[in-house]
Amino acid sequence: EGWSLRDGEGVRLPGGDQPGDDLGRVHLPELDPEDPATATQMVGAIEFLMTLPPETAATATVRVQDRELWANVDGWDVRLGRADEMREKALSLVTLLAQDDLAEGSLIVLISPSRPSVLPPGTSAEDDQGSEQGEDADDTGDDEQDQEAEGE
């Protein structure tokens, strides 16, 4: 139930009694700095928040849900997946939010930042048929062949 101020690499910094209103929030169920998974999630969440524009990051939260990172940014639920490519995921989200054509209640999926998806309102994460980057159903393991298949 405590809080701590962290730098971009997850190192604890001295802080006051309360977090500032100008900082995004990372909610982790347990913070064990010796646990590599927790450390990776924490650093990934911080990287994501630090990449967002400051006014957006100030109200954003990142949490762990079902062993994945999720965020709430400007009122949008965002499925981030694993704590990799977090800078790219934040930039992809900024681009999506700038389009102004998202239906209220949509779920934004950024598991692969180069292939973001927006699921319609009322769709749950379980309905998402997306896959982790590199795990596409048509991925043969041969990049040249995969590029040809995508171009057809």
Side-chain angles (χ1 to χ4, degrees), residues 108-125:
I108 300 170
V109 180
L110 296 175
I111 291 173
S112 174
S114 62
R115 294 182 179 178
S117 63
V118 179
L119 302 179
T123 307
S124 70

PDB file of all heavy atoms in Angstrom, residues 108-125:
ATOM      1  N   ILE A 108      -8.003  -0.423 -26.771  1.00  0.00           N
ATOM      2  CA  ILE A 108      -6.831  -0.271 -27.634  1.00  0.00           C
ATOM      3  C   ILE A 108      -5.844  -1.374 -27.285  1.00  0.00           C
ATOM      4  O   ILE A 108      -5.500  -1.569 -26.123  1.00  0.00           O
ATOM      5  CB  ILE A 108      -6.198   1.119 -27.440  1.00  0.00           C
ATOM      6  CG1 ILE A 108      -7.211   2.205 -27.803  1.00  0.00           C
ATOM      7  CG2 ILE A 108      -4.923   1.247 -28.274  1.00  0.00           C
ATOM      8  CD1 ILE A 108      -6.781   3.607 -27.438  1.00  0.00           C
ATOM      9  N   VAL A 109      -5.383  -2.098 -28.293  1.00  0.00           N
ATOM     10  CA  VAL A 109      -4.457  -3.210 -28.096  1.00  0.00           C
ATOM     11  C   VAL A 109      -3.133  -2.855 -28.763  1.00  0.00           C
ATOM     12  O   VAL A 109      -3.068  -2.665 -29.979  1.00  0.00           O
ATOM     13  CB  VAL A 109      -5.019  -4.532 -28.671  1.00  0.00           C
ATOM     14  CG1 VAL A 109      -4.037  -5.672 -28.439  1.00  0.00           C
ATOM     15  CG2 VAL A 109      -6.373  -4.848 -28.046  1.00  0.00           C
ATOM     16  N   LEU A 110      -2.075  -2.790 -27.946  1.00  0.00           N
ATOM     17  CA  LEU A 110      -0.752  -2.423 -28.433  1.00  0.00           C
ATOM     18  C   LEU A 110       0.269  -3.515 -28.158  1.00  0.00           C
ATOM     19  O   LEU A 110       1.440  -3.232 -27.920  1.00  0.00           O
ATOM     20  CB  LEU A 110      -0.287  -1.110 -27.788  1.00  0.00           C
ATOM     21  CG  LEU A 110      -1.117   0.114 -28.127  1.00  0.00           C
ATOM     22  CD1 LEU A 110      -0.636   1.318 -27.331  1.00  0.00           C
ATOM     23  CD2 LEU A 110      -1.053   0.398 -29.618  1.00  0.00           C
ATOM     24  N   ILE A 111      -0.151  -4.760 -28.192  1.00  0.00           N
ATOM     25  CA  ILE A 111       0.785  -5.853 -27.967  1.00  0.00           C
ATOM     26  C   ILE A 111       1.929  -5.762 -28.960  1.00  0.00           C
ATOM     27  O   ILE A 111       3.083  -5.961 -28.630  1.00  0.00           O
ATOM     28  CB  ILE A 111       0.057  -7.207 -28.045  1.00  0.00           C
ATOM     29  CG1 ILE A 111      -0.879  -7.349 -26.842  1.00  0.00           C
ATOM     30  CG2 ILE A 111       1.058  -8.355 -28.076  1.00  0.00           C
ATOM     31  CD1 ILE A 111      -1.766  -8.565 -26.887  1.00  0.00           C
ATOM     32  N   SER A 112       1.603  -5.432 -30.197  1.00  0.00           N
ATOM     33  CA  SER A 112       2.603  -5.175 -31.227  1.00  0.00           C
ATOM     34  C   SER A 112       2.423  -3.721 -31.667  1.00  0.00           C
ATOM     35  O   SER A 112       1.443  -3.400 -32.327  1.00  0.00           O
ATOM     36  CB  SER A 112       2.403  -6.110 -32.417  1.00  0.00           C
ATOM     37  OG  SER A 112       3.292  -5.765 -33.458  1.00  0.00           O
ATOM     38  N   PRO A 113       3.349  -2.844 -31.297  1.00  0.00           N
ATOM     39  CA  PRO A 113       3.144  -1.421 -31.596  1.00  0.00           C
ATOM     40  C   PRO A 113       3.102  -1.099 -33.082  1.00  0.00           C
ATOM     41  O   PRO A 113       2.512  -0.098 -33.479  1.00  0.00           O
ATOM     42  CB  PRO A 113       4.335  -0.738 -30.915  1.00  0.00           C
ATOM     43  CG  PRO A 113       5.360  -1.796 -30.739  1.00  0.00           C
ATOM     44  CD  PRO A 113       4.601  -3.087 -30.596  1.00  0.00           C
ATOM     45  N   SER A 114       3.677  -1.945 -33.918  1.00  0.00           N
ATOM     46  CA  SER A 114       3.620  -1.689 -35.352  1.00  0.00           C
ATOM     47  C   SER A 114       2.294  -2.161 -35.957  1.00  0.00           C
ATOM     48  O   SER A 114       1.993  -1.860 -37.106  1.00  0.00           O
ATOM     49  CB  SER A 114       4.791  -2.364 -36.074  1.00  0.00           C
ATOM     50  OG  SER A 114       4.723  -3.766 -35.890  1.00  0.00           O
ATOM     51  N   ARG A 115       1.516  -2.894 -35.174  1.00  0.00           N
ATOM     52  CA  ARG A 115       0.201  -3.375 -35.624  1.00  0.00           C
ATOM     53  C   ARG A 115      -0.837  -3.141 -34.524  1.00  0.00           C
ATOM     54  O   ARG A 115      -1.433  -4.089 -34.001  1.00  0.00           O
ATOM     55  CB  ARG A 115       0.258  -4.859 -35.942  1.00  0.00           C
ATOM     56  CG  ARG A 115       1.136  -5.193 -37.113  1.00  0.00           C
ATOM     57  CD  ARG A 115       1.103  -6.665 -37.375  1.00  0.00           C
ATOM     58  NE  ARG A 115       1.931  -6.994 -38.523  1.00  0.00           N
ATOM     59  CZ  ARG A 115       2.112  -8.206 -38.946  1.00  0.00           C
ATOM     60  NH1 ARG A 115       1.536  -9.219 -38.348  1.00  0.00           N
ATOM     61  NH2 ARG A 115       2.878  -8.421 -39.996  1.00  0.00           N
ATOM     62  N   PRO A 116      -1.079  -1.888 -34.182  1.00  0.00           N
ATOM     63  CA  PRO A 116      -2.064  -1.631 -33.124  1.00  0.00           C
ATOM     64  C   PRO A 116      -3.460  -1.998 -33.607  1.00  0.00           C
ATOM     65  O   PRO A 116      -3.727  -2.010 -34.811  1.00  0.00           O
ATOM     66  CB  PRO A 116      -1.934  -0.123 -32.896  1.00  0.00           C
ATOM     67  CG  PRO A 116      -1.439   0.412 -34.188  1.00  0.00           C
ATOM     68  CD  PRO A 116      -0.549  -0.665 -34.763  1.00  0.00           C
ATOM     69  N   SER A 117      -4.314  -2.315 -32.658  1.00  0.00           N
ATOM     70  CA  SER A 117      -5.704  -2.579 -33.031  1.00  0.00           C
ATOM     71  C   SER A 117      -6.617  -1.894 -32.033  1.00  0.00           C
ATOM     72  O   SER A 117      -6.244  -1.635 -30.902  1.00  0.00           O
ATOM     73  CB  SER A 117      -5.989  -4.083 -33.095  1.00  0.00           C
ATOM     74  OG  SER A 117      -5.814  -4.688 -31.842  1.00  0.00           O
ATOM     75  N   VAL A 118      -7.805  -1.596 -32.494  1.00  0.00           N
ATOM     76  CA  VAL A 118      -8.824  -0.986 -31.654  1.00  0.00           C
ATOM     77  C   VAL A 118     -10.040  -1.895 -31.721  1.00  0.00           C
ATOM     78  O   VAL A 118     -10.607  -2.109 -32.796  1.00  0.00           O
ATOM     79  CB  VAL A 118      -9.175   0.437 -32.130  1.00  0.00           C
ATOM     80  CG1 VAL A 118     -10.258   1.038 -31.239  1.00  0.00           C
ATOM     81  CG2 VAL A 118      -7.930   1.320 -32.145  1.00  0.00           C
ATOM     82  N   LEU A 119     -10.407  -2.443 -30.579  1.00  0.00           N
ATOM     83  CA  LEU A 119     -11.558  -3.337 -30.516  1.00  0.00           C
ATOM     84  C   LEU A 119     -12.797  -2.526 -30.166  1.00  0.00           C
ATOM     85  O   LEU A 119     -12.730  -1.606 -29.354  1.00  0.00           O
ATOM     86  CB  LEU A 119     -11.320  -4.426 -29.474  1.00  0.00           C
ATOM     87  CG  LEU A 119     -10.067  -5.285 -29.693  1.00  0.00           C
ATOM     88  CD1 LEU A 119      -9.929  -6.314 -28.586  1.00  0.00           C
ATOM     89  CD2 LEU A 119     -10.116  -5.974 -31.044  1.00  0.00           C
ATOM     90  N   PRO A 120     -13.924  -2.844 -30.767  1.00  0.00           N
ATOM     91  CA  PRO A 120     -15.134  -2.057 -30.545  1.00  0.00           C
ATOM     92  C   PRO A 120     -15.613  -2.132 -29.097  1.00  0.00           C
ATOM     93  O   PRO A 120     -15.276  -3.070 -28.366  1.00  0.00           O
ATOM     94  CB  PRO A 120     -16.146  -2.687 -31.502  1.00  0.00           C
ATOM     95  CG  PRO A 120     -15.601  -4.006 -31.883  1.00  0.00           C
ATOM     96  CD  PRO A 120     -14.127  -3.958 -31.666  1.00  0.00           C
ATOM     97  N   PRO A 121     -16.406  -1.140 -28.700  1.00  0.00           N
ATOM     98  CA  PRO A 121     -16.949  -1.148 -27.335  1.00  0.00           C
ATOM     99  C   PRO A 121     -17.649  -2.463 -27.029  1.00  0.00           C
ATOM    100  O   PRO A 121     -18.291  -3.053 -27.897  1.00  0.00           O
ATOM    101  CB  PRO A 121     -17.946   0.011 -27.349  1.00  0.00           C
ATOM    102  CG  PRO A 121     -17.470   0.905 -28.446  1.00  0.00           C
ATOM    103  CD  PRO A 121     -16.855  -0.006 -29.476  1.00  0.00           C
ATOM    104  N   GLY A 122     -17.479  -2.921 -25.811  1.00  0.00           N
ATOM    105  CA  GLY A 122     -18.101  -4.167 -25.381  1.00  0.00           C
ATOM    106  C   GLY A 122     -17.261  -5.391 -25.658  1.00  0.00           C
ATOM    107  O   GLY A 122     -17.623  -6.498 -25.277  1.00  0.00           O
ATOM    108  N   THR A 123     -16.135  -5.237 -26.325  1.00  0.00           N
ATOM    109  CA  THR A 123     -15.243  -6.353 -26.613  1.00  0.00           C
ATOM    110  C   THR A 123     -14.280  -6.507 -25.449  1.00  0.00           C
ATOM    111  O   THR A 123     -13.749  -5.530 -24.947  1.00  0.00           O
ATOM    112  CB  THR A 123     -14.436  -6.099 -27.906  1.00  0.00           C
ATOM    113  OG1 THR A 123     -15.337  -5.771 -28.951  1.00  0.00           O
ATOM    114  CG2 THR A 123     -13.629  -7.317 -28.290  1.00  0.00           C
ATOM    115  N   SER A 124     -14.048  -7.737 -25.029  1.00  0.00           N
ATOM    116  CA  SER A 124     -13.099  -7.962 -23.943  1.00  0.00           C
ATOM    117  C   SER A 124     -11.765  -8.406 -24.513  1.00  0.00           C
ATOM    118  O   SER A 124     -11.658  -8.771 -25.687  1.00  0.00           O
ATOM    119  CB  SER A 124     -13.632  -9.030 -22.978  1.00  0.00           C
ATOM    120  OG  SER A 124     -13.606 -10.298 -23.594  1.00  0.00           O
ATOM    121  N   ALA A 125     -10.757  -8.403 -23.674  1.00  0.00           N
ATOM    122  CA  ALA A 125      -9.415  -8.808 -24.102  1.00  0.00           C
ATOM    123  C   ALA A 125      -9.419 -10.254 -24.583  1.00  0.00           C
ATOM    124  O   ALA A 125      -8.646 -10.621 -25.460  1.00  0.00           O
ATOM    125  CB  ALA A 125      -8.429  -8.630 -22.957  1.00  0.00           C
TER     126      ALA A 125
END
